[in-house]
Amino acid sequence: MSDAQSEAVRRRVNHKVATAYDVASLAGVSQSAVSRTFTAGASVSNRTRERVLEAAKALNYRPNQVARSLSTSRSGVIGVAVSHLDNQFYPDFLERLSDALDLMGYRILLFVTKGSQDFEPVLGELLRYGVDALILASSSLSSDLGEQCRAAGVPVVMFNNTDPRSQVASVAGANETGGRAIADFLLAAGHQRFGFVAGVEGTSTSGEREAGFTQALREAGLDAPARQVGDYSFEGAWRASIALLGQDARPDAIFCANDHMALATLQAAQSQFGLTPGQDLSIIGFDNVTIGAWPCFQLTTYSQPMPLMVDRTVTQIWRLLDGKDDGGRHEEVSGELIVRASCRIPSTGLVQRPDGTMIWRAPDRP
Amino acid sequence: MSDAQSEAVRRRVNHKVATAYDVASLAGVSQSAVSRTFTAGASVSNRTRERVLEAAKALNYRPNQVARSLSTSRSGVIGVAVSHLDNQFYPDFLERLSDALDLMGYRILLFVTKGSQDFEPVLGELLRYGVDALILASSSLSSDLGEQCRAAGVPVVMFNNTDPRSQVASVAGANETGGRAIADFLLAAGHQRFGFVAGVEGTSTSGEREAGFTQALREAGLDAPARQVGDYSFEGAWRASIALLGQDARPDAIFCANDHMALATLQAAQSQFGLTPGQDLSIIGFDNVTIGAWPCFQLTTYSQPMPLMVDRTVTQIWRLLDGKDDGGRHEEVSGELIVRASCRIPSTGLVQRPDGTMIWRAPDRP
DNA sequence: TTGAAAGCGCTAACAA
DNA sequence: TTGTTAGCGCTTTCAA
């Protein structure tokens, strides 16, 4: 046994992890040969590769990612900032995103942010962590942040949140369209008095949904809806709903800026006012989270198709990573108005899809 | 302006990130001096430090974590494997864990696993990612995995899951105690026929809860409960519940191995059998997830106090990182039986806590 | 307290 | 196709 070999064995015994050098000497090749066999698209002879692989297996060797990152300045890690983890929309997002990134060999460095707290310093750090890209899925996160990263040359995509004036790429649902559809739907069902529960003020998501909703009501000759802020939280929406429903002329239809808040409204209406959603009033959300379809909720909602949105998000990321920094930055993924029992049902416009779900489409206007 | 200075400026302009060398030359000191000013507990004169900090600020310099990791073989990153993200227990866990780790300057590298899929290869990779430690919060994850990492010298803690025979540290709730308490509680309420909805077979969490439950029933002279497997999923529990409730002698009390499944049982009972939980039958879960307390559920449950559990988990991690690999490995965090409307209420043993929540304590036995 | 210099483990020119 | 060599940006001895 050569010196090199015994050195390699010694390392193993000492619990030290084998390096490419150990493998090289055991295989009787250069360290570069080892590097090459573990680098996709390298140039190694089969014979060399096999010897290396054999030695690697014997030593339980695997390339050290940190060292690799230092050399290549690519880490295979993508930073993901997310908040509101109690809103099922986001865990669902994380799960699907993880899947999608996994497929491409990427990992997630997770940052759970609290609302719009001072996240920016953390993010400064983050950039030095060598993440290859950033996904900002905190609806209450400013785009300045993203702008900063973009300037630093790190691809950034905002998820479920946009700043149309910024250069930061984004993927979002059809917020304004959805808001309009919801108004049309409620009007078609014969509703008269409307309420709106907003998310965090200033977020594009809530703002656009409200804009579409209000605009469509205006076009129908109606006033803007009664309005309360729910801050995207269950408690906030609970309070907002109680305020709305406690009014003299109580709304007979309430649109909440997302499902998470709509679930609060639904329960507040039931337990605090004895109202039956779908009969006494209509409640509608946005997102189509899984639990909204639970029997006890049967929440009507405008969907944000998560698989598609995640798909678009990662596609944008790959593009940016490839340096294709061109066009198509602010992507909008359209959804559908999914009809369930929490709303009074219009007599027209209902369509049943093959999977049994009911959707509503506005009748063509003249 | 010196050559070194103009070089530094050039880098800035070219969008290249400043390195410690750039800072050093701008500050007129050695690169080591820069390193020291950014290393906690270093030895630098105030004068040097100030000059360095000034230069660093001018160049917007921050130490490169990757390079630092390569030198120190510590990354400041902790790998977290989690599954069942649709069970609110886990997003909640992630959120709190993130907070706790943040406080100590650690970040989370997230792995979302699917049940007990072939996660092991991924984890092999993971170790080469330079994570300083690993937290395994996948209730359906074998401990072999953890054992492997431990052997590789990486601290591992299993969360909400144990293998008593293994050396892998763990933090879990009072599963057996909780199971017993639940049996005692249901017996005290006068129940006769019991059902149990299990999680994934073979997981310690489900197994221990069932063992405690069944054991306590046996001690009361009763048979083991009717039993169905819910696999920790909503759909699985839904089917399991329908099977249980469709029996000839339908159970009048069902214990589900966690809240997530109990929520399915509750709704199945209501919507498929027209039963009113708390009157026609009692349904009880385990975890005390936030949504279980929602008005429409009012789920009785045995709690797993998340803040405490997370606290214990990170404490274990710090210990292991400090090389204190001694004792106290399998930690159990006790909870309380939280009484809500989904169960028939016993006439004795109820205690109201200051915050208004009702808990139940078994009367002392003679 | 400081600077010089030797790595950390790998990738990527460059020569052979 | 190979091996040699020079970094990647930092930490950490070791002298001074």
Side-chain angles (χ1 to χ4, degrees), chain A residues 6 11 34 90 139 144 199 203 211 221 239 263 265 276 281:
Chain A
S6 51
R11 285 213 178 193
V34 178
Y90 289 104
S139 54
D144 304 1
T203 59
R239 284 191 297 270
L263 293 174
T265 301
T276 302
L281 89 166

Side-chain angles (χ1 to χ4, degrees), chain B residues 327-349:
Chain B
R329 323 190 114 295
H330 296 289
E331 290 207 46
E332 185 176 298
V333 179
S334 60
E336 311 227 62
L337 201 156
I338 297 177
V339 180
R340 303 203 191 94
S342 74
C343 283
R344 195 189 296 167
I345 314 263
S347 53
T348 60

Side-chain angles (χ1 to χ4, degrees), chain B residues 240-320:
Chain B
S241 309
I242 287 179
L244 282 176
L245 293 171
Q247 291 178 155
D248 284 345
R250 150 185 311 165
D252 60 2
I254 298 181
F255 168 33
C256 298
N258 69 16
D259 283 356
H260 187 63
M261 295 196 296
L263 260 18
T265 301
L266 198 117
Q267 292 177 73
Q270 288 175 326
S271 70
Q272 306 298 301
F273 295 88
L275 300 171
T276 302
Q279 289 181 234
D280 305 319
L281 89 167
S282 287
I283 294 171
I284 186 165
F286 208 110
D287 280 349
N288 192 27
V289 297
T290 308
I291 67 174
W294 281 2
C296 64
F297 297 126
Q298 287 297 312
L299 180 66
T300 299
T301 190
Y302 191 89
S303 66
Q304 298 208 92
M306 186 60 79
L308 231 179
M309 288 180 75
V310 166
D311 195 65
R312 294 286 175 83
T313 304
V314 297
T315 303
Q316 290 246 44
I317 294 278
W318 306 152
R319 272 171 119 181
L320 292 168

Side-chain angles (χ1 to χ4, degrees), chain B residues 18-80:
Chain B
T19 73
Y21 285 96
D22 302 328
V23 177
S25 48
L26 184 59
V29 297
S30 76
Q31 181 266 342
S32 336
V34 177
S35 173
R36 286 190 186 104
T37 61
F38 284 98
T39 304
S43 171
V44 221
S45 67
N46 277 331
R47 190 163 160 281
T48 305
R49 187 205 320 287
E50 274 164 28
R51 292 177 63 179
V52 168
L53 287 178
E54 191 185 353
K57 179 164 243 172
L59 297 176
N60 193 26
Y61 167 83
R62 281 177 151 300
N64 176 324
Q65 278 295 339
V66 180
R68 179 174 278 185
S69 301
L70 186 58
S71 275
T72 60
S73 30
R74 303 179 102 271
S75 61
V77 172
I78 290 181
V80 177

Side-chain angles (χ1 to χ4, degrees), chain A residues 204-228:
Chain A
S204 65
T205 304
S206 180
E208 292 171 6
R209 289 170 193 175
E210 180 173 13
F213 185 58
T214 305
Q215 188 60 29
L217 291 183
R218 285 245 168 74
E219 286 168 14
L222 295 168
D223 289 338
R227 178 182 201 280
Q228 290 286 331

Side-chain angles (χ1 to χ4, degrees), chain B residues 138-162:
Chain B
S138 251
S139 53
S140 33
L141 215 57
S142 82
S143 67
D144 304 3
L145 197 49
E147 204 69 74
Q148 248 175 278
C149 302
R150 226 181 59 87
V154 178
V156 188
V157 176
M158 298 179 77
F159 179 87
N160 197 30
N161 187 18
T162 324

